[in-house]
Amino acid sequence: MPYKPIDFFGIDELYHPEELLIRQSVRSFVDTEVIPIIEDSFEKADFHFDLIPKMAELGLFGITIPEEYGGIGANYTSYGLAMQELERGDSGIRSFASVQNSLVMYPINKYGSEEIKKRWLPKLAKGEAIGCFGLTEPDHGSNPGGMITNAVETADSYILNGAKMWITNGTIADIAVVWAKLNGEVCGFLVEKGMKGFTAPEMTGKHSLRASITSELVFQDVEIPKINKLNIKGLKGPLSCLTQARYGIAYGVIGAAMAVYDSALDYSLSRIQFGRPIAGFQLTQEKLVNMFTEISKAQLVAYRLGRLKDDDRATSHQVSFAKRNNVEIALNCCRIAREIHGANGIVNEYNVMRHAANLESVKTYEGTHEIHTLILGEHLTGIPAYQ
Amino acid sequence: MNILVCISRVPDTASRVIVGSDGKTIDPQGIKYIVNPYDEIALEEGLRLREKNGGTVTALTVGGESSKEQLRTALAMGVDSAVIVKTDSSFDSFFVANNISEYAKSINPDIILLGKQSVDFDSLQVPSILGELLGLPSVSVVTKLAIEGNTVTAEREIEGGKEVVETSLPCIISAQKGLNDPRYPKLPDIMKAKSKPIEEKDAVNSDERVTVMGIEIPLKKRAGIILGGEDKDIDEVVRLLHEESKVI
């Protein structure tokens, strides 16, 4: 059955023609390159490296980065729509693009010197270099300010020590944007593959995001040239990157939600019990309507947030709202879709269980659901509950 | 090679079509419009011919202002220039073919490519009328195309089989599914297409040769037959597929 995305409120009328074209191209790419291989890739935890040049050729790396650095120069709405389509394929594939765009190219473009930008951005855009982002540590997740990874300045370099965990693309990365304390203040450093003392072992045993590589980053007296330090101080550096990535997630998960909804609707119309399609039963209809309603609301939130970002007016609180809400409804859609698919919901003939398993990670990464609740709680009351 | 590809704006096949209040047109409310899928195949073939032989590809559409969206898609796919022959009134196949013909006379293309039909009204007339108006050979429903020098060899679908025909440039080729898999535009090309110019021409009017009296949605699909899993049910499925649907 062809994919039938939801657009109950005619939001497509609000998108610019080129935004819709970008969405359509990424949708076609996912149909031809991702969906045919993804169940196998997920099952075998085998990341398909050939997707990297294909994604690069389509223009999925550096979507909002200026053309002079090899980017596309498109707006944030286009970026959001591209993430939505990638995540219809798989959250792991979307994560790959999120990291490259929002967590690597964004900070290099925003906080890197001209020389660094020219050296790395075109390669990252072409997929000739892969990036990763090291903030989370084994003992510091929701509280990144407590990080123990640290840098010490010497006459002509910085010496980095510490470890990062849960790092998407770490093992295959050519460049890592690593956050470490220098004189007690969080600073960003570019650590290059092959630098002495830097290793990135892969983490295995995941039941989620299996089509994506997750790694540890270990730094033992890694010597980093001065030019590789980013021009930003304090937690606002990494948090600004996370705001970019979280925005992409708020859009992205709608793709996963629409994928499982689409499958559930098709299934409910073709699955016959008691002599008629289960779509005809009231309990099933309520489930479908609940998914459809939440997806439509999430679309409106994402659309508005995208436009605010395009105007440079979106706040990190609004991004927290959208990430928190949209990931939760997407995960709920997976659970409801699984119920509609009955026993078939657990097998890999359908996409439901894979999306459900992926979204369990998405609910926790990039600011846990709980932390986003507290960010909004502080916004409402003025009282920070996490300190 | 001077290549002209004609495209049209049609409702997305996934859209639910509702008949307008006049009973003769489609209610555009809530309909998404796309490049006619067969025209996309024609565009792809035009781009491949250019990649092989050099030259230029011009995309042409006959329609209202909103048809420019489809020309943007063609530009993003990689055509060199885009032309809209503008009309605000409703039109029939002759009107479209006549306007394509007028434009084609101004650029003398080596080949004109278009979809075998538009998936809105499915008249399948434009390629043949165009052949007559321009006095050019017109080969329809083409699934394979080879051009060597001036010689054109085309494989076309016919009832229950295929036919191979030979003709020569200049000619008109209408594309059928299977001719190629159309490319999807890359993001940088989509951005570049945004600022490319679209040439505008006024349509040449002609009397309507075919008037739509009314359109209606087909009646609800036939009720399905539900069979069990016994051997006799399987035999019945095979019999129905063979005798009723005639697909095996």
Side-chain angles (χ1 to χ4, degrees):
Chain A
M1 291 288 276
Y3 172 55
K4 300 170 296 303
I6 295 171
D7 183 21
F8 191 58
F9 280 90
I11 306 174
D12 279 7
E13 290 171 22
L14 303 174
Y15 286 123
H16 305 153
E18 77 275 10
E19 293 165 350
L20 294 175
L21 268 178
I22 286 174
R23 184 182 70 183
Q24 185 55 44
S25 272
V26 185
R27 187 174 287 167
S28 303
F29 172 80
V30 167
D31 280 333
T32 39
E33 302 291 348
V34 179
I35 288 176
I37 56 103
I38 196 64
E39 288 295 347
D40 185 62
S41 171
F42 183 92
E43 192 179 327
K44 295 180 179 151
D46 175 23
F47 177 72
H48 279 236
F49 284 91
D50 61 331
L51 282 176
I52 300 172
K54 287 175 183 170
M55 285 198 273
E57 203 198 342
L58 184 57
L60 290 174
F61 303 147
I63 294 174
T64 60
I65 299 292
E67 288 156 85
E68 58 178 305
Y69 298 113
I72 304 300
N75 62 9
Y76 278 98
T77 298
S78 300
Y79 171 65
L81 290 169
M83 295 305 110
Q84 173 185 296
E85 294 310 316
L86 286 179
E87 196 144 5
R88 176 173 73 92
D90 190 83
S91 301
I93 306 302
R94 196 269 304 140
S95 295
F96 187 101
S98 281
V99 170
Q100 190 87 345
N101 277 281
S102 289
L103 299 181
V104 179
M105 296 181 78
Y106 172 83
I108 291 176
N109 183 52
K110 191 152 171 91
Y111 308 122
S113 64
E114 193 59 31
E115 188 183 340
I116 283 291
K117 282 158 78 163
K118 286 201 170 121
R119 186 188 303 171
W120 285 105
L121 291 175
K123 276 194 218 170
L124 288 159
K126 286 192 197 123
E128 289 165 4
I130 307 301
C132 70
F133 178 89
L135 176 66
T136 297
E137 299 187 350
D139 296 322
H140 298 90
S142 291
N143 177 23
M147 69 172 64
I148 49 178
T149 299
N150 71 91
V152 176
E153 188 166 5
T154 64
D156 48 9
S157 65
Y158 298 96
I159 306 296
L160 190 68
N161 277 287
K164 300 289 179 181
M165 206 173 184
W166 307 112
I167 310 304
T168 300
N169 295 346
T171 309
I172 58 169
D174 302 284
I175 180 104
V177 176
V178 177
W179 302 91
K181 278 185 178 163
L182 175 68
N183 301 323
E185 247 184 329
V186 175
C187 291
F189 301 91
L190 302 185
V191 183
E192 297 171 32
K193 188 180 209 161
M195 281 182 169
K196 198 163 170 252
F198 171 38
T199 51
E202 185 170 353
M203 298 170 67
T204 54
K206 289 178 298 172
H207 284 295
S208 172
L209 295 180
R210 289 175 61 77
S212 163
I213 292 168
T214 311
S215 319
E216 290 177 65
L217 306 180
V218 183
F219 313 102
Q220 280 183 312
D221 294 326
V222 182
E223 192 178 342
I224 301 183
K226 288 221 160 153
I227 191 179
N228 280 19
K229 181 175 168 295
L230 296 176
N231 185 25
I232 179 78
K233 270 187 191 169
L235 266 183
K236 64 177 181 293
L239 292 182
S240 69
C241 305
L242 293 177
T243 300
Q244 303 296 312
R246 289 166 179 172
Y247 161 72
I249 291 168
Y251 247 111
V253 291
I254 298 169
M258 287 204 285
V260 297
Y261 166 79
D262 193 46
S263 181
L265 180 60
D266 281 349
Y267 186 85
S268 69
L269 287 166
S270 63
R271 171 73 175 173
I272 310 292
Q273 289 292 288
F274 304 104
R276 61 187 183 136
I278 61 169
F281 293 107
Q282 292 180 2
L283 290 175
T284 309
Q285 289 193 357
E286 188 192 30
K287 289 182 166 99
L288 291 168
V289 169
N290 283 343
M291 283 196 274
F292 166 80
T293 303
E294 291 305 323
I295 291 168
S296 296
K297 284 152 70 179
Q299 288 175 328
L300 289 161
V301 169
Y303 169 77
R304 177 63 183 152
L305 183 62
R307 284 288 178 255
L308 287 171
K309 267 196 85 60
D310 287 334
D311 289 350
D312 202 16
R313 289 195 292 144
T315 67
S316 61
H317 293 102
Q318 288 166 334
V319 173
S320 285
F321 178 112
K323 193 271 182 183
R324 176 181 182 275
N325 179 74
N326 291 9
V327 175
E328 180 162 62
I329 72 100
L331 187 51
N332 288 342
C333 283
C334 289
R335 291 182 176 139
I336 298 169
R338 212 288 304 147
E339 289 168 13
I340 291 175
H341 284 80
N344 280 310
I346 69 164
V347 295
N348 66 3
E349 188 182 337
Y350 297 91
N351 57 23
V352 180
M353 207 66 180
R354 179 170 50 83
H355 281 301
N358 284 338
L359 288 170
E360 289 290 349
S361 293
V362 180
K363 193 173 182 185
T364 287
Y365 77 16
E366 298 284 349
T368 64
H369 186 79
E370 293 81 354
I371 286 292
H372 287 300
T373 308
L374 299 185
I375 288 170
L376 292 169
E378 181 189 3
H379 179 66
L380 299 183
T381 63
I383 307 168
Y386 34 59
Q387 285 175 1
Chain B
M1 201 171 197
N2 187 0
I3 303 156
L4 177 64
V5 184
C6 310
I7 65 173
S8 61
R9 171 182 170 89
V10 297
D12 188 338
T13 43
S15 289
R16 187 186 297 181
V17 170
I18 297 168
V19 178
S21 53
D22 63 0
K24 294 180 188 176
T25 53
I26 293 167
D27 182 353
Q29 197 65 31
I31 298 270
K32 296 192 196 313
Y33 288 88
I34 56 170
V35 176
N36 175 39
Y38 296 110
D39 297 343
E40 253 183 359
I41 299 170
L43 275 169
E44 177 64 33
E45 201 62 21
L47 293 169
R48 289 185 189 187
L49 286 175
R50 182 190 66 189
E51 280 157 12
K52 197 169 160 222
N53 305 305
T56 58
V57 182
T58 304
L60 171 74
T61 191
V62 178
E65 175 74 19
S66 45
S67 297
K68 281 185 182 171
E69 276 174 38
Q70 281 60 49
L71 288 174
R72 290 274 168 229
T73 305
L75 285 165
M77 282 175 79
V79 303
D80 301 281
S81 53
V83 182
I84 181 167
V85 176
K86 266 179 111 172
T87 177
D88 292 324
S89 50
S90 64
F91 45 79
D92 60 5
S93 300
F94 179 83
F95 181 95
V96 176
N98 190 42
N99 274 289
I100 296 172
S101 156
E102 286 301 315
Y103 182 77
K105 282 176 197 161
S106 73
I107 66 162
N108 283 322
D110 297 304
I111 188 165
I112 302 177
L113 292 154
L114 59 178
K116 67 162 177 137
Q117 72 194 88
S118 288
V119 299
D120 47 3
F121 292 103
D122 294 305
S123 305
L124 290 106
Q125 292 183 354
V126 172
S128 307
I129 301 176
L130 191 58
E132 179 65 22
L133 290 173
L134 289 169
L136 291 179
S138 178
V139 186
S140 299
V141 201
V142 171
T143 51
K144 214 170 172 182
L145 183 68
I147 300 176
E148 290 300 331
N150 254 356
T151 308
V152 178
T153 311
E155 193 172 294
R156 51 187 305 273
E157 243 175 41
I158 54 170
E159 190 70 36
K162 62 186 179 186
E163 179 183 51
V164 179
V165 298
E166 202 177 275
T167 183
S168 60
L169 295 177
C171 69
I172 297 158
I173 299 288
S174 86
Q176 164 69 316
K177 212 183 279 178
L179 180 60
N180 58 49
D181 285 324
R183 69 194 64 191
Y184 34 86
K186 297 178 175 63
L187 271 61
D189 297 330
I190 293 171
M191 297 304 287
K192 279 183 208 125
K194 244 175 92 170
S195 52
K196 284 190 183 163
I198 291 176
E199 188 186 339
E200 293 192 23
K201 299 253 176 203
D202 289 327
V204 178
N205 282 319
S206 56
D207 291 337
E208 235 175 21
R209 311 282 168 114
V210 177
T211 306
V212 177
M213 305 305 290
I215 56 174
E216 51 189 79
I217 304 289
L219 292 172
K220 269 274 180 226
K221 62 178 177 187
R222 290 162 294 168
I225 301 168
I226 297 164
L227 299 164
E230 307 284 323
D231 282 355
K232 66 177 173 49
D233 295 315
I234 294 163
D235 291 344
E236 180 63 4
V237 169
V238 173
R239 188 192 70 77
L240 287 169
L241 289 173
H242 185 64
E243 292 174 14
E244 301 281 324
S245 345
K246 297 187 166 66
V247 293
I248 58 171

